[in-house]
């Protein structure tokens, strides 16, 4: 059996930042223009953003690369070990398929085909489904993979128990540190998710916002939180994005006189949005706004609860074909939800 882990990818070094950015912005799921217009625009954007992006990556790594590939390798190894225990009679191997840098979908598809599995499980490292992430990866895989094996996809796992428990555990740990180091200081938990334009939800029927809200509600309940807020980071471009924004939420915390524990609720690995945007850029903003403490919950990474959730999702998927969530999925009828689309077509 082959398990294919989908993720964004990241540059290996400073020289690969520009082509990585080009691949990102040339994806029609990111910029919805015809290729005749999208490709030159992607070239322009990647050229203009290269220097600033290189500076940001340099803050994480001396070579100017992203840690995401190494993080994903560690998750693959942990998942393979978990699946070996869950499926002792099966040969299981994980592969990574990165959307915008190597190993990209085509490379992963070739590697899986050479492995010649009888079963293929597509497992996104995006807990919540979005057209900009999981759908883009699924489309690329469907257009590329021609190898053997019965294929099924896990579209999302916004309320999978192990994923929720891993998040709640990380938050409780950081709150305990805040209580120890800042006794009596009120602390608010910020759930920070990567933002998307509002039109993707309201016009295109993307279930991402609903699924993020479902994750946050489940984590807040399990962790017993009383003061928490969902916000969105990484806004770019002129369109109206989901809100409130994480910077605005940080400024509001300063005005309210509370400290912050920030948790990346839509990321499962450390990368530029956590190590630079949350830790450095937003950390500086928090300092300027008088927010103390300002602390961050680490991404779940290879936390046993999270890897357990992925392993259970893979095993449960073996009884079906097609696309479905692991655990509860969407509550509404979203045009972009692949599971609901397959249910309507059946």
């Amino acid at each position: 059996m082959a398990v294919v882990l989908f993720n964004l990818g990241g540059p290996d070094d400073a020289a690969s930042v520009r082509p990585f950015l080009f691949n990102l912005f040339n994806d029609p799921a990111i910029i919805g223009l015809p290729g005749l217009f999208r490709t030159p625009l992607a070239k322009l954007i990647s050229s203009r953003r290269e220097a600033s992006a290189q500076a940001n990556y340099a803050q994480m790594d001396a070579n100017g690369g992203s840690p995401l590939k190494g993080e994903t390798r560690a998750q693959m190894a942990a998942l393979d070990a978990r699946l070996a225990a869950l499926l002792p009679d099966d040969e299981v191997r994980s592969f990574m398929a990165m959307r915008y840098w190597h190993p990209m979908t085509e490379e992963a598809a070739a590697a899986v085909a050479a492995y010649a599995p009888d079963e293929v499980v597509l497992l996104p490292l995006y807990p919540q489904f979005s057209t900009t992430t999981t759908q883009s990866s699924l489309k690329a895989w469907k257009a590329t993979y021609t190898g053997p094996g019965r294929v099924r996809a896990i579209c999302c796992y916004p309320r999978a128990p192990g994923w929720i428990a891993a998040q709640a555990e990380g938050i409780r740990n950081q709150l305990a540190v805040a209580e120890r180091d800042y006794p009596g200081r009120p602390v608010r938990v910020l759930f920070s998710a990567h933002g998307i334009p509002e039109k993707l939800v309201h016009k295109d029927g993307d279930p991402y916002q609903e699924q993020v809200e479902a994750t946050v509600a489940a984590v807040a309940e399990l962790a017993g939180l009383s003061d928490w807020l969902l916000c969105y980071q990484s806004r770019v471009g002129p369109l109206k994005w989901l809100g409130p924004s994480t910077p605005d939420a940080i400024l509001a915390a300063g005005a309210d006189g509370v400290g912050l524990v920030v948790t990346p609720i839509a990321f499962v690995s450390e990368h530029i949005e956590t190590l630079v945007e949350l830790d450095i850029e937003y950390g500086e903003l928090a300092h300027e706004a008088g927010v103390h403490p300002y602390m961050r919950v680490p991404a779940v990474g290879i936390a046993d609860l999270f890897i357990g959730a992925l392993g259970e999702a893979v095993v449960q998927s073996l009884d079906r074909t097609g696309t479905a969530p692991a655990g509860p999925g969407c509550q509404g009828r979203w045009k972009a939800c692949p599971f609901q689309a397959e249910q309507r077509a059946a």
Side-chain angles (χ1 to χ4, degrees):
M1 179 173 65
V3 180
V4 184
L5 303 182
F6 290 147
N7 212 329
L8 177 74
D12 296 319
D13 50 33
S16 55
V17 168
R18 184 168 176 175
F20 164 76
L21 292 175
F22 171 77
N23 291 337
L24 171 67
F25 291 109
N26 198 40
D27 183 354
I30 304 300
I31 296 181
L33 295 174
L36 179 65
F37 303 102
R38 186 183 65 254
T39 297
L41 180 59
K43 289 180 179 178
L44 178 63
I45 294 173
S46 58
S47 174
R48 289 185 172 180
R49 293 193 176 187
E50 179 182 17
S52 61
Q54 285 176 332
N56 284 334
Y57 281 108
Q59 295 185 77
M60 298 185 294
D61 178 77
N63 293 320
S66 169
L68 187 60
K69 188 184 298 185
E71 293 261 318
T72 307
R73 285 198 184 104
Q75 290 169 326
M76 290 167 59
L79 180 58
D80 283 349
R82 180 58 60 94
L83 290 173
L86 293 172
L87 302 168
D89 297 327
D90 296 337
E91 180 184 348
V92 183
R93 180 179 169 189
S94 294
F95 299 80
M96 75 170 84
M98 297 300 189
R99 190 67 186 91
Y100 305 120
W101 200 242
H102 306 288
M104 296 176 71
T105 304
E106 297 80 4
E107 298 166 77
V112 172
Y115 180 61
D118 56 352
E119 305 281 355
V120 179
V121 179
L122 306 179
L123 177 59
L125 291 174
Y126 312 113
Q128 304 90 7
F129 178 91
S130 175
T131 56
T132 60
T133 53
T134 305
Q135 185 180 81
S136 179
S137 292
L138 288 173
K139 283 184 175 180
W141 184 265
K142 186 175 181 179
T144 304
Y145 185 68
T146 58
R150 189 176 64 141
V151 180
R152 80 274 294 136
I154 298 165
C155 57
C156 56
Y157 39 95
R159 288 182 289 169
W163 155 245
I164 298 300
Q167 286 279 355
E169 181 179 68
I171 291 169
R172 286 193 295 262
N173 289 341
Q174 286 297 88
L175 287 174
V177 173
E179 183 177 358
R180 181 197 68 198
D181 294 346
Y182 300 89
R185 179 73 174 172
V187 175
R188 176 176 299 158
V189 173
L190 284 191
F191 294 94
S192 187
H194 198 293
I196 61 172
E198 280 189 354
K199 82 174 192 69
L200 294 181
V201 176
H202 302 308
K203 181 180 178 182
D204 300 337
D206 192 313
Y208 177 73
Q209 181 181 15
E210 182 202 278
Q211 292 196 1
V212 170
E213 290 174 353
T215 298
V216 169
V219 173
E221 180 179 7
L222 185 60
L225 305 182
S226 58
D227 187 359
W228 57 269
L229 179 69
L230 167 61
C231 50
Y232 296 88
Q233 66 183 88
S234 308
R235 177 183 172 181
V236 294
L239 295 176
K240 185 177 182 182
W241 280 42
L242 297 177
S245 72
T246 305
D248 286 348
I250 292 171
L251 295 176
D256 293 342
V258 299
L260 289 176
V261 167
V262 182
T263 185
I265 200 61
F267 303 124
V268 302
S269 310
E270 303 291 1
H271 57 307
I272 194 168
E273 279 88 355
T274 60
L275 298 174
V276 175
E277 190 171 17
L278 287 180
D279 290 354
I280 299 175
E281 295 175 2
Y282 293 171
E284 292 174 354
L285 177 63
H287 177 74
E288 294 169 359
V291 175
H292 64 277
Y294 178 84
M295 307 169 65
R296 182 174 66 85
V297 178
V300 290
I302 57 172
D304 189 64
L305 287 167
F306 175 60
I307 297 300
L310 296 184
E312 290 173 8
V314 169
V315 172
Q316 292 169 6
S317 76
L318 297 179
D319 293 330
R320 62 168 175 82
T321 57
T323 305
C330 307
Q331 300 302 298
R333 294 184 65 83
W334 298 96
K335 290 187 295 183
C337 173
F339 173 67
Q340 293 180 3
E342 291 182 11
Q343 295 296 104
R344 290 192 295 269

